[in-house]
Amino acid sequence: MLRKYLFLFIGMAVMAAGCSKAQKEPHARYDIVPLPVKITEKEGNFALENGTEICIPAQNEALKKIAEMFIQQIRTASGLELKIKEITGSETPQKGIVFTVSKIDEIGAEGYKLWVEKGKIDIQANQPNGFFYAIQTLFQMLPPEVYSKEKVKNNPDWSIACAEITDFPRFQYRGMHLDVARHLFPVEFIKKYIDLLAMQKMNRFHWHLTDDQGWRIQIDKYPKLNEIGSWRNGTLIGHYNDTFPQQFDNVRYGGFYTKAEAKEIVAYAASKYIEVIPEIEMPGHAVAAIAAYPELCCRKDTVFEVGKTFGVYDDVFCTTDTVFTFLEDVLTEVMEIFPSQYIHIGGDECPKNNWRKCKHCQSMIKTHKLKDEHELQSYFIHRIEAFVNSKGKKIIGWDEILEGGLAPNATVMSWRGDEEGVKAAMQDHDVIMTPTSFCYLNYYQADPQTEPLAIGGFVPTQKVYSYNPMPENLPADKQKYIIGVQANLWTEYIKDSKLVEYMLYPRASAIAEIAWTPNERKNWDSFTKRMLTQFKRYDYLGVTYAKHFFDVKASSEYNTQKADVEIKFETLFPDTKIYYTTDGTEPTVNSKLYTGPFGIKEKTMVKAATFKDGKKVGNVYKKEFYVFKSTGMKYTLVNEPKTYLGTTKYSLTDGIMANLKSPDTWIGFSGKDLDIIIDLTKEQSIKRIAANFESAVDSWIFQPTEIEVFISPDGKTFTSVSKQVLGADKNTVPKIIPFEVLLNNASTRFIKVMAKNQGICPKGHPGEGNPAWLFVDEIVVE
Ligand code: ACM
Ligand code: ZN
C-alpha cells in the first residue's frame, strides 16, 4: 500500500515540477490534513510571485484580515510580497487569488470551494470561516517551508498545485481541551497551541481553568481564589500509584491568567475562527476554591490546602445559597471574559460522601423532594444551568450530569465511553464525543516502559484515527445530536509546553481528521502518507511532536508447524531498513537486517529500530518474548472481557507478559471471574502452571479472592490440583500477584484456571458498590 502511494506521490511531484516555470524541487501537492471532502487533481501550478493580488470584496473587514494573514505568512517564509486589491461593483478579476462570498448550500457555514488554475485561484464560501479554511488548505498545498517563522534559505517552488476542491466539516464542533489547573503554560504557548488547532481546521478550545490543584482565572470579587486558590505548596512526585504514602516535592507552584491575558487569548483564537470555552468545575474538583473559601464546603470548619496530589477529592462544593451566589458571581465574571456560546461547568467525579453526612445537603434533599445525592447533583446542575441560560448561554457538562436527570438544555461531553453520549442523544440533547479510550491524549501513545511518565491507558495514533464519533447503534433521527468530537489533555503528569506538544502531536492531527473528513473518506494509509509532509510542517512550526509514528511496529504469532513464535516487523517510514538483535544489544546498521518474519523458540529479548541512510529514526523497539508449553495455545473463556482485551488475539497465552505500566497488556474482567480452559492440543507432561494477577486498588483492580486450577486429559473430567484462598485485597501499592502450582510431571491436555473476582469494590473504597476489576496475564504452562 505504502509503496503504491509513494509511486503516486513521486509521479505527481515530478509532473508538478515539469509544469512549473521555476523547475524547483517538487513538493507534496495534495498532502492536506484533514483530508478535504473532494479533490480533483489537475495538471499545472499557480505560482506565487511578487505582486500577486488577493482580490477581496471592498469593505469586508473579516476577509481582509484573512488575506492579510496569508500575505504576512508568505512574506515571512518566502520574502514574496503579495498585495490586497479591494474589488467594487461588478468587476471580475481575471488573475490572482479571488475571494467571492457566495451562497452555496452544499458547503454550509464553514465550507469552501477552491479552484486553482494556472493564472487564477478562485475561493468561494458562505462565510469568513470558509475563506479561513480555504487559506489553511492553500498553505498545505504550498511547500511545508511556508510555515517557517523566518525566510527560508532553500527558496522552494512557491507554487500551488492546480485542483478543484469542495470541502466542509463532518462535525460542527471540533475541539481540543487543555487542563491548566494541574500545570499551567505561558500565554505565548497557548497561542501556539491555538495556531496548530487552526491549521487543522479545529474550531473549539476547551480551557479547563479550575480544579483541585489550582484556580487559574482572575476573579475580582473573590480575590482569595487567586491569592490562595492559585497556589499549591508542592506537587506529587512520580505517579499517583508509585509510593505509599505519596511523596511531594514541597515546591510552591502556581499562578493564574489575568483577565487581560484571557481576553487576549480569546481574541487571538477568534481571529483564527476558534471559540474558547472556559470550564469552571463544579460541584466536584473544587478543592482550590474551597481552600480559599472553606465556607463553600460541607466541612466548613476545616482548614484546606490546595490539592498537591491528583485523583478525586471528597471535599466538593456544598449546596448552600452561599455556594450558588459564589458560583453565579464567578460565572458572571467569566462570561464577561469569554463571549462563547457555551460555558463548561464540569460535573464529573463528584463523590457524595460529604453530602451524605452534611445536615444542609440532607435538608436540601428533603426540601426539594429529591431521591438521593445523585438527584441533589442534578438539582445543582439544573440551578446553574438556569442561571447560565438566563444570560443567553448554554452549559456543557461531563457525562455524569446525566445521573439524577439531565438539565433541560445541557450539552453532554461523553468521556467514559460512547454509551452516555448515546443516552443523552436519545433524550434529544446535544453530545460531544470524547471517550477516554480514543480521545484522551494524556494516555500513553507507545510502550509505557520507554515513554515519559503518563497517567496510564494506551491510545496510539492509529487507535485515535480508528474512532468514529457517530455511535453505530444510534438511530438515524438521533444522529444530529452528535455535534462533534474533542480530544482532552489532562496535565497531571505534563509539566511543560514541550511535553504538551509531544502528547498532542501527531495524535491531534488524527483527531482533526476524524472531526472534519467524511467517515467514508478516512483511510489510514492515506493519512500516514500525508503525515510525512505534516511532520515537515511541524518541524517548521517548532512542534516537539512524538516520533513513534516511524518506530518499528512488531506483531507476533505462534507457528504450530514450526513450534515457534514468529515475529514480524513493520514501519510506516518509506525507504528505510529495519535492523534487529536477539541478544539484548542495541540495534545498529551492523545488526541483523530484517527481511521477513523470524521465529524464536525460547525466552528472547528482541530489539529493533528503523534506519534511514544509515541513521536511526524513531525509537528502539524492545520486548521480551517467552515460549512456554502454553504459548500460542487457544483457549475458551466463560466470561468474555469487554474493555481490557490484551494486545493480541490469544493474549493470555501469547508469550508476552503484562506489566504494571501498561494496562492494555492485561485481560480485565469487570465484576466477573476468570474461568478459562486452555487446550494444549495433545496430552503431555507438565511441571508448572502459573499466572500473574494485578492488584491496583486505587484503580479498582483487586487480586482474586480464590484461585483453583484443574487438569484434564480429555476436556471432560477435570481434577483439581490446587486451590488457594487469597481473601480480600489489602495491598496499598500496585503490584503483580504471582500465582503458581508445581506439578510432578502430571499428564494433561486441558488446563482450567478459575480465579474469583471479589465482585464489588468494598465499603469505604471510592468505587464502593461498583464492579471490581480482575486483571490477569499471562497464563503459563511449563
Ligand atoms: C474526566 O476525565 N474526569 C472528565
Ligand atoms: Zn453540604
Side-chain angles (χ1 to χ4, degrees):
M1 203 63 181
L2 200 62
R3 241 170 237 285
K4 191 176 109 202
Y5 271 114
L6 196 67
F7 175 73
L8 251 174
F9 164 72
I10 292 169
M12 289 180 330
V14 166
M15 217 164 68
C19 296
S20 102
K21 275 186 271 173
Q23 296 289 332
K24 291 273 172 63
E25 270 291 295
H27 62 263
R29 292 160 52 92
Y30 306 104
D31 284 353
I32 302 160
V33 181
L35 186 69
V37 171
K38 185 158 184 256
I39 310 181
T40 309
E41 301 177 4
K42 298 269 168 81
E43 271 189 37
N45 292 317
F46 176 95
L48 288 183
E49 286 160 358
N50 271 322
T52 296
E53 285 173 346
I54 305 190
C55 306
I56 56 165
Q59 281 144 20
N60 188 324
E61 277 312 303
L63 297 198
K64 192 168 181 188
K65 284 215 176 86
I66 293 167
E68 279 166 356
M69 208 180 276
F70 185 69
I71 290 173
Q72 172 64 39
Q73 188 55 44
I74 298 293
R75 179 188 298 127
T76 304
S78 71
L80 291 174
E81 284 296 340
L82 317 187
K83 49 184 198 200
I84 289 181
K85 182 176 180 193
E86 297 203 30
I87 304 292
T88 43
S90 57
E91 195 183 341
T92 336
Q94 296 306 314
K95 59 185 177 56
I97 302 175
V98 185
F99 288 29
T100 311
V101 181
S102 302
K103 175 127 188 36
I104 309 172
D105 289 343
E106 180 195 5
I107 57 174
E110 295 181 293
Y112 62 92
K113 278 181 95 91
L114 183 59
W115 292 263
V116 182
E117 289 161 13
K118 283 182 192 159
K120 186 177 173 208
I121 295 179
D122 265 309
I123 305 173
Q124 293 189 16
N126 295 315
Q127 292 193 35
N129 311 51
F131 292 95
F132 182 79
Y133 293 136
I135 290 297
Q136 302 316 311
T137 295
L138 288 184
F139 279 138
Q140 298 200 357
M141 294 171 82
L142 281 157
E145 284 88 341
V146 75
Y147 289 101
S148 173
K149 300 215 168 60
E150 57 189 20
K151 188 165 179 301
V152 290
K153 302 212 167 58
N154 60 339
N155 197 25
D157 175 10
W158 298 109
S159 71
I160 298 169
C162 292
E164 188 178 327
I165 296 179
T166 301
D167 202 13
F168 51 88
R170 179 178 180 200
F171 292 107
Q172 53 123 322
Y173 185 111
R174 304 179 301 280
M176 185 80 75
H177 150 287
L178 181 66
D179 163 16
V180 293
R182 279 54 179 263
H183 288 97
L184 72 166
F185 311 97
V187 169
E188 280 316 302
F189 173 74
I190 307 269
K191 288 187 180 170
K192 185 181 174 199
Y193 170 103
I194 285 168
D195 290 342
L196 294 170
L197 298 194
M199 164 198 179
Q200 303 180 108
K201 306 187 174 89
M202 307 282 278
N203 65 357
R204 301 302 205 296
F205 168 36
H206 169 177
W207 202 4
H208 184 78
L209 287 165
T210 72
D211 215 303
D212 301 309
Q213 298 77 8
W215 185 281
R216 303 281 175 238
I217 184 73
Q218 178 186 350
I219 299 293
D220 297 328
K221 192 156 184 185
Y222 299 93
K224 283 197 279 185
L225 283 175
N226 300 121
E227 290 158 18
I228 296 172
S230 295
W231 298 90
R232 62 177 183 251
N233 287 323
T235 304
L236 178 72
I237 296 174
H239 193 271
Y240 189 85
N241 292 330
D242 276 356
T243 53
F244 185 83
Q246 293 177 327
Q247 311 284 310
F248 300 92
D249 63 12
N250 300 325
V251 178
R252 193 162 158 79
Y253 181 93
F256 60 93
Y257 299 93
T258 63
K259 287 187 173 179
E261 286 170 332
K263 283 180 184 169
E264 186 184 327
I265 285 168
V266 166
Y268 186 79
S271 78
K272 306 216 158 190
Y273 294 86
I274 291 173
E275 180 178 75
V276 184
I277 300 172
E279 179 180 353
I280 304 296
E281 269 269 18
M282 63 189 81
H285 288 291
V287 170
I290 290 168
Y293 297 98
E295 61 270 29
L296 300 174
C297 171
C298 298
R299 303 192 302 139
K300 297 170 183 51
D301 301 325
T302 313
V303 176
F304 293 98
E305 61 169 6
V306 176
K308 298 193 302 196
T309 186
F310 305 121
V312 174
Y313 285 77
D314 263 350
D315 286 298
V316 302
F317 287 128
C318 187
T319 54
T320 53
D321 283 343
T322 312
V323 167
F324 287 106
T325 304
F326 165 83
L327 287 172
E328 288 177 10
D329 290 343
V330 165
L331 289 174
T332 300
E333 291 194 34
V334 164
M335 288 188 269
E336 281 161 18
I337 306 168
F338 297 93
S340 55
Q341 172 198 9
Y342 293 113
I343 302 291
H344 200 305
I345 51 76
D348 61 320
E349 299 180 321
C350 176
K352 311 292 186 296
N353 298 335
N354 283 1
W355 288 1
R356 282 190 198 104
K357 291 181 227 154
C358 170
K359 264 198 192 140
H360 176 82
C361 289
Q362 289 304 311
S363 76
M364 288 291 279
I365 289 178
K366 282 210 186 74
T367 310
H368 296 282
K369 301 194 169 46
L370 306 172
K371 202 167 81 206
D372 55 15
E373 290 73 19
H374 293 296
E375 288 201 355
L376 183 57
Q377 157 137 349
S378 173
Y379 166 89
F380 194 115
I381 304 292
H382 272 71
R383 194 159 155 179
I384 292 294
E385 185 191 56
F387 176 75
V388 172
N389 286 169
S390 78
K391 304 286 174 194
K393 290 175 186 278
K394 299 206 276 193
I395 65 160
I396 301 179
W398 299 109
D399 60 45
E400 287 95 328
I401 66 168
L402 278 150
E403 293 162 9
L406 262 182
N409 308 306
T411 296
V412 173
M413 257 184 193
S414 189
W415 72 278
R416 291 177 295 176
D418 281 358
E419 300 78 26
E420 302 303 309
V422 169
K423 272 189 218 163
M426 292 305 287
Q427 296 174 41
D428 297 354
H429 280 255
D430 283 348
V431 174
I432 297 148
M433 287 298 194
T434 177
T436 52
S437 43
F438 296 96
C439 298
Y440 270 41
L441 304 190
N442 53 323
Y443 283 13
Y444 284 106
Q445 56 190 314
D447 185 355
Q449 316 253 43
T450 52
E451 280 295 286
L453 179 70
I455 195 162
F458 186 62
V459 184
T461 308
Q462 193 162 4
K463 177 113 194 257
V464 176
Y465 194 80
S466 73
Y467 182 56
N468 180 1
M470 188 60 70
E472 274 175 10
N473 57 347
L474 193 63
D477 64 322
K478 302 291 181 190
Q479 292 185 358
K480 62 175 184 278
Y481 295 112
I482 308 296
I483 62 167
V485 56
Q486 174 173 295
N488 295 338
L489 195 77
W490 302 99
T491 59
E492 287 93 335
Y493 303 100
I494 302 176
K495 292 176 200 266
D496 63 51
S497 314
K498 282 196 161 63
L499 196 49
V500 168
E501 289 185 344
Y502 178 89
M503 297 305 275
L504 288 181
Y505 289 94
R507 291 185 290 182
S509 293
I511 288 286
E513 186 143 315
I514 64 179
W516 181 279
T517 305
N519 201 40
E520 58 280 8
R521 290 268 288 160
K522 253 175 62 181
N523 177 306
W524 173 250
D525 288 328
S526 150
F527 180 71
T528 57
K529 179 225 146 209
R530 283 177 285 119
M531 286 304 289
L532 298 183
T533 308
Q534 189 81 339
F535 286 121
K536 290 185 193 156
R537 296 178 188 129
Y538 294 168
D539 285 332
Y540 281 105
L541 288 162
V543 179
T544 51
Y545 57 98
K547 308 233 163 113
H548 307 292
F549 207 76
F550 299 128
D551 292 355
V552 170
K553 312 244 179 325
S555 55
S556 63
E557 201 169 342
Y558 187 75
N559 185 316
T560 321
Q561 255 112 53
K562 295 189 193 156
D564 65 6
V565 172
E566 301 271 314
I567 295 172
K568 192 173 148 194
F569 294 137
E570 275 175 289
T571 173
L572 297 170
F573 208 127
D575 303 330
T576 54
K577 293 191 165 98
I578 295 173
Y579 290 93
Y580 71 100
T581 65
T582 49
D583 60 2
T585 58
E586 292 304 293
T588 67
V589 285
N590 299 319
S591 309
K592 283 180 244 183
L593 175 67
Y594 177 76
T595 51
F598 60 97
I600 53 165
K601 286 194 177 288
E602 58 189 10
K603 180 179 164 188
T604 305
M605 172 59 90
V606 175
K607 294 188 180 178
T610 312
F611 291 79
K612 187 172 172 67
D613 304 328
K615 282 215 317 241
K616 184 163 75 66
V617 286
N619 304 285
V620 175
Y621 166 87
K622 57 177 181 213
K623 188 154 267 152
E624 188 128 60
F625 288 88
Y626 293 79
V627 187
F628 306 112
K629 285 191 166 152
S630 48
T631 304
M633 297 301 131
K634 296 195 165 46
Y635 53 78
T636 52
L637 289 163
V638 171
N639 301 310
E640 285 293 335
K642 297 214 167 63
T643 313
Y644 292 97
L645 310 172
T647 45
T648 57
K649 184 147 179 249
Y650 289 99
S651 217
L652 288 172
T653 55
D654 63 0
I656 303 168
M657 302 288 215
N659 62 73
L660 287 180
K661 285 183 107 183
S662 313
D664 70 300
T665 53
W666 297 87
I667 296 274
F669 301 92
S670 176
K672 297 260 166 61
D673 302 334
L674 165 73
D675 189 345
I676 184 175
I677 296 176
I678 302 172
D679 181 358
L680 299 178
T681 66
K682 57 178 188 288
E683 191 166 340
Q684 53 195 290
S685 139
I686 60 165
K687 292 201 180 85
R688 179 174 179 261
I689 301 170
N692 282 342
F693 296 90
E694 184 178 356
S695 162
V697 170
D698 283 329
S699 305
W700 304 20
I701 303 165
F702 296 84
Q703 67 181 28
T705 54
E706 196 179 296
I707 305 167
E708 187 161 11
V709 177
F710 305 81
I711 56 173
S712 165
D714 59 6
K716 291 187 187 107
T717 321
F718 284 88
T719 312
S720 174
V721 290
S722 164
K723 180 167 175 172
Q724 292 184 23
V725 177
L726 280 71
D729 197 330
K730 299 265 188 321
N731 295 302
T732 49
V733 288
K735 56 165 72 141
I736 287 178
I737 311 290
F739 163 85
E740 70 169 5
V741 196
L742 298 177
L743 299 161
N744 196 5
N745 289 324
S747 184
T748 190
R749 172 173 164 180
F750 296 92
I751 288 149
K752 176 173 161 119
V753 182
M754 292 184 60
K756 251 193 141 21
N757 189 316
Q758 83 159 46
I760 53 170
C761 301
K763 208 166 166 37
H765 184 273
E768 180 177 335
N770 287 295
W773 285 99
L774 176 80
F775 270 37
V776 58
D777 187 88
E778 157 108 350
I779 300 189
V780 171
V781 182
E782 288 179 285

